[in-house]
Amino acid sequence: MLGLRDMRVVVCLLFVLCLTSWAPVSGAADVGSAQEQAQRQQEQPLNNAPVWRDVRGGDNRYQTTQVRGVETSVLVQPAGETWRQLRPVLALAGGLILVFVLAALFGYYQWRGAIGLHDKPAGRFIQRFSDLDRLAHWTVAISFVVLAITGLIISFGQYLLLPVIGYWLFSWIAALAKNLHNFVAPVFLLSLPVFIVLFIRDNLPRLYDVQWLMKFGGMLSKSGEHIPTGRFNAGEKALFWGLVCLFSVVLCVSGVVMLFPNFNQGRSIMQVANVTHVVCALLAIAMACFHIYLGTIGMKGAYDAMRTGYVDETWAKEHHQIWYEEVRAGRANQRVADQVPADVRAQIDQTLRSA
């Protein structure tokens, strides 16, 4: 039998044998790799495609990271360059659309003026919007306007504001805009579903909407041709489904993806969300300009309706005849108002009678 000393000798011999058998193979592999790289540099100088392929794919065995998650091993993402070049082009196109819309509304106002009444105010009133309706509307409207203004500053501030006001002031404005955008967004996100539930019933399409669309509600005529319609006309319904139910919902979803990057979404998803957010935001702002115009200076009595909740019966009859008849017949959810505050009566009457 072998002694302890003899066994140690045998183990050492086996270890030496393994080293000598492995070294040539390892050395041959290293020499082969070096020769392959040298040959590549001669045939294709400065071609580091395999290295960059590993870097982009995240499969480089020579790199390591303590961070775990989607795309953590991807050092370079080619789609990021595509996003960087595409975003300014989309922003410029959207900005031009906004300028065109504002110019068109200004020209329309100069040509048509404010849309008023043909007959005198009746002095009798209908409660067009409840307190809950107005609360939901103004919450969505104010938060949307804040998000729109801050979003425009974020998108176009460095091109329009920075050259005028300088770096110091612009840095404060940009930081304020970014924080307002982030903290007002949840208000818009939570109030939007309430708004949709409250107004979706009266925004469902009806057959009489076709007549309004064919004549564009008589808005292209200075005489203001009367087109019978329900509580909301086809133009308002188009804004509801396009601006509120489509663009605003997409804005909320894409905004959540960017605002909360802890859902394990990768950079590629966030880049798509960013582009989608920019496109929908600019289109939504353009559509909102029409609504804001008609709801303020474009149509007399429209702003008072949402501010106070009441409209004169003549206003209701001339702008929403079918709804007016439903109210008079008791088939609508809205009712004729018997008691209206004196200041509200005076304000509405003054607005409708103003030249």
Side-chain angles (χ1 to χ4, degrees):
M1 295 181 65
L2 295 176
L4 180 60
R5 182 178 181 181
D6 295 331
M7 292 184 64
R8 289 177 178 176
V9 173
V10 172
V11 171
C12 291
L13 289 175
L14 290 175
F15 180 73
V16 172
L17 181 60
C18 290
L19 288 178
T20 55
S21 61
W22 173 81
V25 176
S26 178
D30 292 340
V31 171
S33 177
Q35 291 177 350
E36 181 181 352
Q37 294 179 9
Q39 184 178 1
R40 174 179 290 276
Q41 291 298 328
Q42 292 178 0
E43 296 177 354
Q44 302 176 2
L46 303 178
N47 185 353
N48 296 322
V51 176
W52 289 110
R53 189 179 303 114
D54 292 339
V55 169
R56 293 187 179 97
D59 299 326
N60 189 351
R61 61 183 180 275
Y62 300 111
Q63 68 188 31
T64 183
T65 177
Q66 297 295 327
V67 181
R68 293 294 178 262
V70 179
E71 297 181 354
T72 52
S73 297
V74 180
L75 298 183
V76 176
Q77 187 205 34
E81 179 64 15
T82 303
W83 167 80
R84 189 185 70 83
Q85 295 180 356
L86 179 62
R87 192 178 182 279
V89 176
L90 295 176
L92 176 62
L96 293 176
I97 292 175
L98 287 180
V99 172
F100 174 78
V101 168
L102 293 175
L105 289 175
F106 178 78
Y108 179 79
Y109 182 77
Q110 294 297 319
W111 171 75
R112 179 67 172 82
I115 300 174
L117 298 180
H118 295 91
D119 297 330
K120 294 181 180 181
R124 299 181 300 274
F125 297 88
I126 298 174
Q127 186 176 19
R128 180 167 171 79
F129 299 110
S130 66
D131 293 340
L132 181 59
D133 291 339
R134 292 186 292 123
L135 176 62
H137 173 272
W138 287 117
T139 303
V140 171
I142 293 173
S143 59
F144 179 88
V145 171
V146 173
L147 292 172
I149 294 174
T150 54
L152 291 174
I153 292 174
I154 295 171
S155 299
F156 301 105
Q158 60 179 327
Y159 307 111
L160 301 178
L161 295 179
L162 180 59
V164 178
I165 64 178
Y167 286 93
W168 184 85
L169 184 56
F170 175 72
S171 65
W172 283 94
I173 294 177
L176 178 62
K178 186 65 172 68
N179 285 297
L180 278 175
H181 202 84
N182 290 345
F183 286 100
V184 174
V187 177
F188 182 75
L189 176 65
L190 295 175
S191 60
L192 183 65
V194 178
F195 181 89
I196 293 175
V197 171
L198 288 175
F199 291 99
I200 191 171
R201 177 179 177 272
D202 292 317
N203 278 282
L204 295 175
R206 296 287 188 266
L207 288 177
Y208 52 72
D209 292 329
V210 177
Q211 182 183 4
W212 193 98
L213 290 173
M214 292 179 62
K215 298 184 178 181
F216 203 66
M219 297 182 64
L220 299 181
S221 171
K222 279 192 174 184
S223 61
E225 181 182 0
H226 176 66
I227 308 295
T229 184
R231 187 187 182 195
F232 301 112
N233 58 48
E236 292 171 310
K237 292 179 180 181
L239 286 173
F240 177 83
W241 292 106
L243 172 59
V244 177
C245 295
L246 177 59
F247 289 140
S248 294
V249 171
V250 173
L251 284 172
C252 289
V253 174
S254 58
V256 168
V257 172
M258 295 187 295
L259 196 58
F260 300 100
N262 52 332
F263 295 143
N264 206 31
Q265 63 266 36
R267 286 171 289 180
S268 59
I269 294 178
M270 296 187 71
Q271 287 161 2
V272 173
N274 180 267
V275 171
T276 303
H277 197 79
V278 170
V279 172
C280 289
L282 293 172
L283 292 177
I285 294 172
M287 293 183 68
C289 288
F290 291 99
H291 177 67
I292 294 173
Y293 167 77
L294 289 174
T296 53
I297 64 173
M299 179 178 291
K300 294 180 180 180
Y303 172 74
D304 290 329
M306 186 54 71
R307 187 177 69 86
T308 66
Y310 299 96
V311 295
D312 187 89
E313 285 193 9
T314 302
W315 187 95
K317 185 177 181 180
E318 291 193 7
H319 294 301
H320 303 274
Q321 182 179 354
I322 297 177
W323 171 70
Y324 167 75
E325 294 173 353
E326 290 176 348
V327 171
R328 298 293 299 177
R331 296 193 304 269
N333 292 331
Q334 296 73 39
R335 295 291 182 267
V336 174
D338 297 327
Q339 296 181 352
V340 179
D343 58 334
V344 173
R345 289 176 174 271
Q347 177 62 43
I348 295 177
D349 186 73
Q350 181 183 358
T351 300
L352 297 179
R353 292 180 184 275
S354 61

